[in-house]
Amino acid sequence: MHNTDPVFKFCRNILQCFSSVPPQPVPPLAQTLQGYLRALEPLLPPEELNHTRRMVQEFGRQGGLGAQLQEDLERRARHTKNWISDWWVQWAYLESRQPLPVHSNPAISLPRRDYNDWRSQLVFASKLIAAVLDFKAKIKTGQLPVEYMRGKPLCMELYPLLFSSCRIPGPKHDYIAHYGRARRSPTHITVVRNYQFFQLEVYNSDGSRMTESQIHSQLLRIRSQSWKTDKEPMGILTSEHRHTWGQAYNRLWVMSSIYCIPLYVYASRKAAQVLHGGGTFSNSGNRWFDKTLQFVVGEDGSWGLLYEQATAEGPPIATLLDHILEKPDPKRAPLVPLPMPKKLYFNIDREIKRDIEQAKQNLDILINDLDVNVFNFKKFGKELPKRHNMSPNSFIQVALQLVYYRVHNEVVPACDIASQRMFRGGRTEYIRSPTNQTLKFILAFDDPSVSREAKLQLFREAVDAYTELTTQALNGQGIDRHLLGLKLQAIEQGLSIPKIFMDTAYGLATHWKLRTGQVPANTDSVMCFGPLVPDGYAACYNPQADHVHFSIIAFNCCEDTNAERFAHTLKDTLCQLQELLQPTV
């Protein structure tokens, strides 16, 4: 293969990003089992904890089943790029049969642009498309600098996979198609307007990317071809239960495009619009939820990004958004005739029509079940905890546990995400809470007999304990992926599932009633996604210097959860924690 070949460069760049990061370690078995029992202590009564402790000791004894599975995992780690990532993607995403909107795909709503008409919408969309193509070129030519976290290089493997990728539905599990790996990788994007899909070539015949003005003229052509709304919103099918969509699926050109850009007329409840499109009477028909990247642009200045998690993750997405907002210099347009954007036609038979109608009903039911509360907390931001030598993320995590306890009078398993990109092919690990220190602080906080000094000390200990868990997870020493790996190793070997994974304690520990996520963004963006369980919450936050954006989501079908009550309690609690750190009297 000649060294000027783009495929050669692509492969070389991938190898470079691997060579600078170590393989992901398999944590010691005893360490993980101890961490698991410690995580259960705040959640279980003593007699249940003792029962589980005996089970864990049996599993972990020398020469026992746990030791055998650990040895097999370590062997797997020596012979694979990453011992858990492929398993994790398969188990967490591709084997899930739940619809992608709300349950899986995160949405990021970005600050509204200063316009309110379709002309400006298309101008902005042109800039956006050009900026994304510029970012893609940086990846392909090896110009994207290696990222670092805590002084260590990060694996850059995910970046090339963001583009020309799509999740393909199947009857039992999905798979990911990466069309960008082909020698002739796709040169078009998909633009969606009024339920109509257009294949827009974004490179000239000489291989140069189109300029903003060229793209703009093509978007004008697409608008002129899509005045009326198509009768059948094909995109709705991608919102269905994966088995149903898999049965209806037929290979479509939308799959191979670099990314998808839906254009819509208006938006209400901006973050929710990006998340699911607003329903069948709004813009949900202008989505293709299987695409790895979808940039959503409204006529009213609202815009955002929806991404599919089997290939994409928050930090690389944030880097992409930062690049887009830098606004690369516009290039002069060459005077060449441009091909007409190609409208895609679907073979819609009676059965597909029936599937579309069913998908419409199911998506509207899902959207109507969402209880969404998005707000900007303006009293303080991440500078406050920093001034008191506290991690802003740990501060917010402890606050969320306190809020849950105040609303529901119990502590529950909560998961935050730690990146594993310090390791080759690494994806994510859970940072789980509550800790024993968090429970002590929660029980003391509303107790008038406990002094302010004692509460402050307990708060510091809770925050520090969470920070320590974060460090462990970032260093590949978390417990959840390891436990999952042991379970999946047993299944792969045809063994019966070990008793510790059939124990009610494991079911409780992995019933994530509080799904949380921090947006690592430099902009005033709001991320949102749905809860992991029907009786849970999803809490996303974006801490800026002097304010924090929050989105709280629950399901209306659960009588116990209430996003508005949770959000109201969160605001009050944050103010009281500020008072605890900086008393006004």
Side-chain angles (χ1 to χ4, degrees):
M1 191 182 292
H2 198 261
N3 63 5
T4 58
D5 189 285
V7 177
F8 177 88
K9 286 182 179 176
F10 177 91
C11 297
R12 185 194 62 198
N13 295 340
I14 289 288
L15 288 171
Q16 282 175 346
C17 85
F18 279 162
S19 63
S20 59
V21 292
Q24 185 163 336
V26 181
L29 179 63
Q31 174 185 295
T32 291
L33 296 180
Q34 285 169 8
Y36 174 53
L37 288 172
R38 218 168 18 249
L40 290 173
E41 286 172 5
L43 302 172
L44 292 179
E47 63 276 10
E48 285 185 39
L49 188 62
N50 285 334
H51 168 78
T52 298
R53 187 173 280 118
R54 287 192 294 273
M55 204 174 281
V56 168
Q57 285 167 349
E58 170 66 19
F59 178 74
R61 70 181 169 80
Q62 198 168 1
L65 177 58
Q68 177 197 326
L69 293 173
Q70 175 74 5
E71 202 174 293
D72 294 333
L73 269 191
E74 289 169 354
R75 187 181 301 111
R76 176 183 168 88
R78 288 193 295 272
H79 294 98
T80 56
K81 180 180 72 178
N82 187 292
W83 61 272
I84 188 63
S85 287
D86 288 347
W87 265 352
W88 168 251
V89 169
Q90 189 71 24
W91 180 83
Y93 303 122
L94 301 182
E95 289 182 8
S96 170
R97 301 289 79 198
Q98 283 190 307
L100 296 188
V102 178
H103 295 293
S104 184
N105 291 9
I108 302 176
S109 176
L110 288 131
R112 192 182 290 272
R113 312 296 294 192
D114 187 21
Y115 66 79
N116 201 20
D117 64 278
W118 68 264
R119 288 180 178 82
S120 302
Q121 174 197 32
L122 297 191
V123 168
F124 174 64
S126 309
K127 290 180 186 297
L128 175 61
I129 292 167
V132 175
L133 294 176
D134 187 68
F135 186 79
K136 181 175 178 287
K138 275 184 163 44
I139 295 169
K140 194 167 185 178
T141 56
Q143 291 177 294
L144 192 69
V146 171
E147 294 172 312
Y148 287 80
M149 181 191 294
R150 300 188 174 192
K152 294 181 181 176
L154 300 181
C155 179
M156 304 292 282
E157 176 196 40
L158 285 180
Y159 280 101
L161 306 180
L162 292 177
F163 302 101
S164 306
S165 296
C166 193
R167 181 162 161 173
I168 308 293
K172 292 185 178 175
H173 63 81
D174 295 355
Y175 68 95
I176 300 295
H178 294 300
Y179 300 96
R181 286 175 169 163
R183 181 174 289 274
R184 291 184 61 83
S185 58
T187 55
H188 65 282
I189 66 170
T190 304
V191 178
V192 195
R193 185 173 183 269
N194 284 341
Y195 303 165
Q196 295 169 68
F197 290 75
F198 293 86
Q199 183 178 310
L200 173 58
E201 291 292 332
V202 287
Y203 291 90
N204 294 302
S205 56
D206 63 358
S208 62
R209 75 161 172 81
M210 286 188 180
T211 63
E212 284 177 23
S213 61
Q214 285 178 306
I215 294 166
H216 181 248
S217 67
Q218 295 293 72
L219 292 179
L220 286 169
R221 282 172 152 182
I222 286 173
R223 190 174 192 278
S224 69
Q225 289 184 71
S226 56
W227 285 106
K228 289 183 179 176
T229 301
D230 262 17
K231 286 180 185 174
E232 303 297 345
M234 272 298 295
I236 288 280
L237 284 175
T238 65
S239 73
E240 257 291 19
H241 183 279
R242 301 306 292 174
H243 176 69
T244 309
W245 169 217
Q247 287 182 322
Y249 172 74
N250 229 332
R251 278 211 175 276
L252 301 166
W253 262 100
V254 174
M255 299 303 171
S256 66
S257 67
I258 296 167
Y259 58 90
C260 191
I261 183 158
L263 303 172
Y264 61 89
V265 178
Y266 66 92
S268 58
R269 304 189 73 189
K270 197 160 62 112
Q273 264 284 338
V274 181
L275 183 65
H276 50 60
T280 55
F281 294 103
S282 187
N283 295 296
S284 295
N286 291 330
R287 300 284 188 277
W288 199 267
F289 291 103
D290 292 7
K291 276 303 291 179
T292 301
L293 290 180
Q294 286 188 91
F295 292 91
V296 183
V297 181
E299 277 187 16
D300 60 351
S302 60
W303 71 294
L305 171 64
L306 190 66
Y307 64 95
E308 198 286 306
Q309 288 193 104
T311 299
E313 274 169 11
I317 294 293
T319 303
L320 167 60
L321 289 173
D322 287 344
H323 178 83
I324 289 168
L325 295 164
E326 284 171 12
K327 301 175 186 170
D329 295 331
K331 294 179 174 63
R332 182 168 297 194
L335 295 172
V336 292
L338 299 175
M340 198 71 177
K342 179 182 172 186
K343 183 176 175 180
L344 303 178
Y345 292 93
F346 301 99
N347 182 23
I348 301 174
D349 57 21
R350 191 181 303 164
E351 219 170 297
I352 293 283
K353 279 189 179 184
R354 193 177 66 238
D355 288 335
I356 290 172
E357 286 308 309
Q358 187 64 51
K360 282 181 181 178
Q361 290 176 32
N362 290 341
L363 183 59
D364 284 342
I365 289 168
L366 174 60
I367 289 170
N368 290 331
D369 192 28
L370 277 191
D371 181 13
V372 182
N373 194 295
V374 177
F375 66 95
N376 184 5
F377 180 78
K378 296 181 178 178
K379 300 275 185 180
F380 63 84
K382 60 186 175 184
E383 289 305 317
L384 175 71
K386 279 183 177 179
R387 281 199 302 273
H388 294 269
N389 296 316
M390 293 180 175
S391 152
N393 189 58
S394 301
F395 178 102
I396 292 173
Q397 284 289 332
V398 173
L400 288 170
Q401 280 285 343
L402 176 55
V403 170
Y404 193 99
Y405 185 83
R406 287 175 143 190
V407 174
H408 295 286
N409 203 33
E410 65 172 343
V411 291
V412 292
C415 58
D416 185 15
I417 301 295
S419 173
Q420 298 292 274
R421 287 176 59 219
M422 283 185 186
F423 307 108
R424 192 177 306 153
R427 294 297 297 259
T428 60
E429 172 63 278
Y430 284 154
I431 313 165
R432 62 158 59 235
S433 56
T435 59
N436 285 322
Q437 293 90 335
T438 301
L439 180 59
K440 284 179 188 172
F441 166 66
I442 286 170
L443 295 175
F445 190 71
D446 288 318
D447 185 345
S449 68
V450 180
S451 69
R452 176 190 162 269
E453 289 73 18
K455 289 177 185 178
L456 181 56
Q457 180 59 28
L458 288 170
F459 184 42
R460 282 193 177 282
E461 288 171 6
V463 170
D464 289 347
Y466 194 87
T467 302
E468 177 59 30
L469 281 181
T470 302
T471 299
Q472 288 172 14
L474 288 171
N475 289 333
Q477 302 298 315
I479 66 170
D480 280 281
R481 298 294 183 268
H482 188 195
L483 289 171
L484 176 67
L486 293 164
K487 179 183 175 183
L488 294 178
Q489 186 69 47
I491 292 169
E492 186 165 281
Q493 290 175 206
L495 304 173
S496 54
I497 295 175
K499 287 179 186 174
I500 68 164
F501 301 117
M502 306 301 285
D503 183 23
T504 53
Y506 187 72
L508 170 73
T510 52
H511 187 79
W512 304 105
K513 286 193 176 182
L514 197 50
R515 176 192 191 186
T516 70
Q518 178 180 204
V519 185
N522 298 324
T523 59
D524 276 321
S525 53
V526 179
M527 181 186 268
C528 53
F529 42 60
L532 286 171
V533 293
D535 55 343
Y537 293 92
C540 276
Y541 49 95
N542 178 7
Q544 298 294 301
D546 59 356
H547 60 280
V548 187
H549 291 279
F550 284 98
S551 73
I552 309 296
I553 298 184
F555 290 117
N556 289 317
C557 64
C558 178
E559 292 181 5
D560 293 335
T561 57
N562 185 303
E564 187 178 354
R565 186 168 75 237
F566 193 100
H568 179 75
T569 309
L570 177 56
K571 291 172 197 172
D572 285 348
T573 300
L574 289 172
C575 290
Q576 289 163 14
L577 290 174
Q578 182 183 22
E579 178 74 17
L580 180 67
L581 291 178
Q582 297 177 334
T584 51
V585 179

